Amino acid sequence: MNTSNNVLEKAVELLTLHPVCNQCLGRQFAWLSTDSTNEERGRSIKLLLSMTADERVRTGEAKIQDTLMPRLANHGMYGPAISLCEEHGIDVDVSRNCYLCEVRNKSIFKQIPNIARRVLERVISYEFDTFLIGCVPNPTVSERQDELRAKLNLLHAEALKSDFNRELGKHLENLLEKKVEFENPDIVIIYEMTGDTFRLQVNPIFIYGRYRKLERGIPQSRWDCSSCNGKGCEECNETGRRYPDSVSEYVSKPILKVAQGSKFKFHAAGREDVDALMLGSGRPFVVEISEPKKRRINLDEIESAINSRARGKVEVDSLEFTSREVMQNLKSDASSNIKEYVAKIATEEEVSNDKLRRAETELRDIEIEQRTPHRVAHRRSDRIRKKRVHSVKLLKTDEHELRGDFVVQGGTYVKELISGDEGRTTPSLSSLLGTKCTCLKLNVTAIRA
Ligand SMILES: [Zn+2]
Ligand SMILES: [Zn+2]
């Protein structure tokens, strides 16, 4: 095994073994003099070797056929060496292909302009600013390079994959007048070398905003009929739905339409019950649009479109572009938020003001325990959750009626805090007032971040 670390000696060994193009020769030394291209590195090595050989011929030290010149012409495919050999009547085989990048009988690097043109045709219908190239390299040429790297102890070589990605990326940057971005590209293009195919991954856009729900009976997300699972049956009047509309559809569909995406996802910081209003400054949400054709959409216009279409039902404001991270935090922050509610409460017996004041004191800044309520047991695991109640204010509005103002931790079941849910929430308004309390109406009035 050769242990020399000399670039030129290694290059000679390589050229002795196989035909290698400039790009592939340069790539074997890619981490040396990095502010250069592999093509330039390979060509420079061949030029220097050819000059050395020519000098030996010209000083009479050696005959041309005994120098490196024929190897540089045949395996190096090096133009000046080919000319010199031909001048000296030495046969040159110019039909060779590079051992390290030949795919489908041609250098994969020479196929780049053609590949780029086909990519251009596909991405032209998408609006984007940044992109990234990935590839699945051809296993034969990848393995050849790996073997040579081990055999010749090439310590500064770059993988074919990253060389190809960069070259195709540079070519597309010029063609598209858009930038390669590694962190957060709008579009990822993955080229498959062996099959000569590629696929696009169009990354989603995320739009943040806040919504208010002004009418009861609208679920946050589409609610299918439970008898037919959305297929349509007699019970649901062939609509397939338990409720005709939803907050998520009112908010997301106009965005999906303008962005010309394939589908939407609606992410919100918690959810209110179907029969609760969401008032005040609204609930934060993020709409995710998959595979958008348009990214530079006018959010002011969309906001107006949503608000006029959902007039009296749902209202949005503060629409802005955001990131996946914000969407992810929205969910984890939801249970640490503080939420404010106003409830209309019926009491079985009339309650004295004295008792109301005592209940307010008992509910000041305490932790309550809530076992999963009966009404949601079908979709949430049965366990006990501890939630913080910051304050409760109670006002008698009628003989058997109260107004309750609640400030509680996100995720608190307020209806159960009122009723007690047959002892599953403790303490509760029912237990503190000593009479059965029922929530008649519930509104969310604020979500504090
Ligand atoms: Zn090559
Ligand atoms: Zn149905």
Side-chain angles (χ1 to χ4, degrees), residues 13-20 75-77 97 99-100 148 151:
E13 281 185 78
L14 203 55
L15 288 168
T16 305
L17 291 168
H18 302 288
V20 181
H75 278 183
M77 298 165 273
N97 278 320
Y99 179 73
L100 292 174
L148 272 177
K151 189 171 176 184

Side-chain angles (χ1 to χ4, degrees), residues 225 228 232-233 236:
C225 167
C228 63
C233 66
C236 60

Side-chain angles (χ1 to χ4, degrees), residues 16 20 39 103 166 187 193-194 218 221 262 273 296 308 369 385 395:
T16 305
V20 181
E39 212 282 333
V103 180
R166 186 182 51 252
I187 287 190
M193 270 185 206
T194 310
I218 305 174
S221 47
S262 59
D273 290 328
R296 294 182 218 109
S308 71
E369 291 191 344
R385 296 175 179 83
L395 179 73

Side-chain angles (χ1 to χ4, degrees), residues 2-7 9-10 153 155-156:
N2 182 288
T3 51
S4 159
N5 279 320
N6 184 293
V7 172
E9 284 175 31
K10 282 185 194 293
N153 195 28
L155 301 172
H156 307 288

Side-chain angles (χ1 to χ4, degrees), residues 294-308:
K294 302 276 175 231
R295 293 180 174 262
R296 294 182 218 109
I297 54 180
N298 185 325
L299 296 181
D300 289 339
E301 282 175 14
I302 291 177
E303 195 169 303
S304 312
I306 294 170
N307 289 339
S308 71

Side-chain angles (χ1 to χ4, degrees), residues 21 24 98 100-101:
C21 73
C24 292
C98 172
L100 292 174
C101 68

Side-chain angles (χ1 to χ4, degrees), residues 224-242:
D224 283 341
C225 167
S226 53
S227 310
C228 63
N229 280 321
K231 284 191 214 78
C233 66
E234 244 173 65
E235 204 160 308
C236 60
N237 230 338
E238 303 303 328
T239 59
R241 310 177 55 136
R242 176 142 172 215

